[in-house]
């Protein structure tokens, strides 16, 4: 099933990029479907955008501004994968909902070290189970 989906990340941690690539492979997404924030190509009528973010406290201006522009026209649905705190995830949900997009209630929290890019089998299973639940429940 082809789906108009983007996986965008804001993190300096290699594990986040590795996980983004796993989602790309799972859904056989287009070459430009995975990108850093701000992406080289802007979102346009995406069925879902998965944001993978490393957050401690308030998001930086670049991330905040990008999320404020994720309207329903750009992204009908947004899901969050967060390397950080629940408070940071709640803050991102507020920013995204204010922009007008539909934000998935469930957030996947991941733990990433600075130098490890390795994703365990359990982490991969949790990541793909999360993305399948989100995609299967799209509004």
């Amino acid at each position: 099933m082809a789906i108009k989906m983007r996986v965008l990340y804001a993190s300096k941690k290699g594990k986040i990029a590795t996980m983004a690539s796993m989602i790309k492979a799972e859904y056989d997404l287009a070459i430009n479907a995975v990108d850093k924030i701000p992406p080289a190509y802007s979102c346009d009528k995406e069925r879902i955008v998965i944001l993978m973010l490393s957050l401690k406290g308030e998001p930086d201006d670049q991330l905040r501004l990008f999320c404020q522009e994720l309207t329903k026209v750009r992204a009908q649905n947004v899901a969050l994968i967060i390397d950080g705190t629940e408070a940071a995830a709640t803050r991102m949900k507020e920013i995204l909902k204010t922009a007008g997009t539909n934000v998935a209630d469930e957030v996947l929290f991941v733990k990433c070290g600075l130098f490890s890019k390795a994703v365990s089998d359990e982490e991969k299973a949790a990541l793909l189970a999360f993305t399948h639940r989100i995609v299967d429940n799209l509004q």
Side-chain angles (χ1 to χ4, degrees), residues 12-77:
K12 291 183 172 56
K13 297 177 181 176
K15 187 173 184 179
I16 293 282
T18 300
M19 292 173 111
S21 296
M22 289 175 170
I23 295 169
K24 178 181 187 277
E26 180 74 6
Y27 288 94
D28 196 24
L29 301 176
I31 211 89
N32 65 347
V34 174
D35 205 349
K36 285 185 173 177
I37 294 172
Y41 301 94
S42 66
C43 295
D44 180 38
K45 298 184 185 111
E46 305 298 335
R47 185 79 197 279
I48 182 157
V49 174
I50 296 178
L51 297 179
M52 304 183 73
L53 313 170
S54 286
L55 290 173
K56 295 210 178 346
E58 277 294 304
D60 67 25
D61 284 347
Q62 190 174 40
L63 176 60
R64 189 176 43 75
L65 290 170
F66 172 78
C67 290
Q68 285 174 333
E69 293 173 0
L70 271 183
T71 62
K72 272 250 193 257
V73 172
R74 292 192 167 174
Q76 293 173 335
N77 300 280

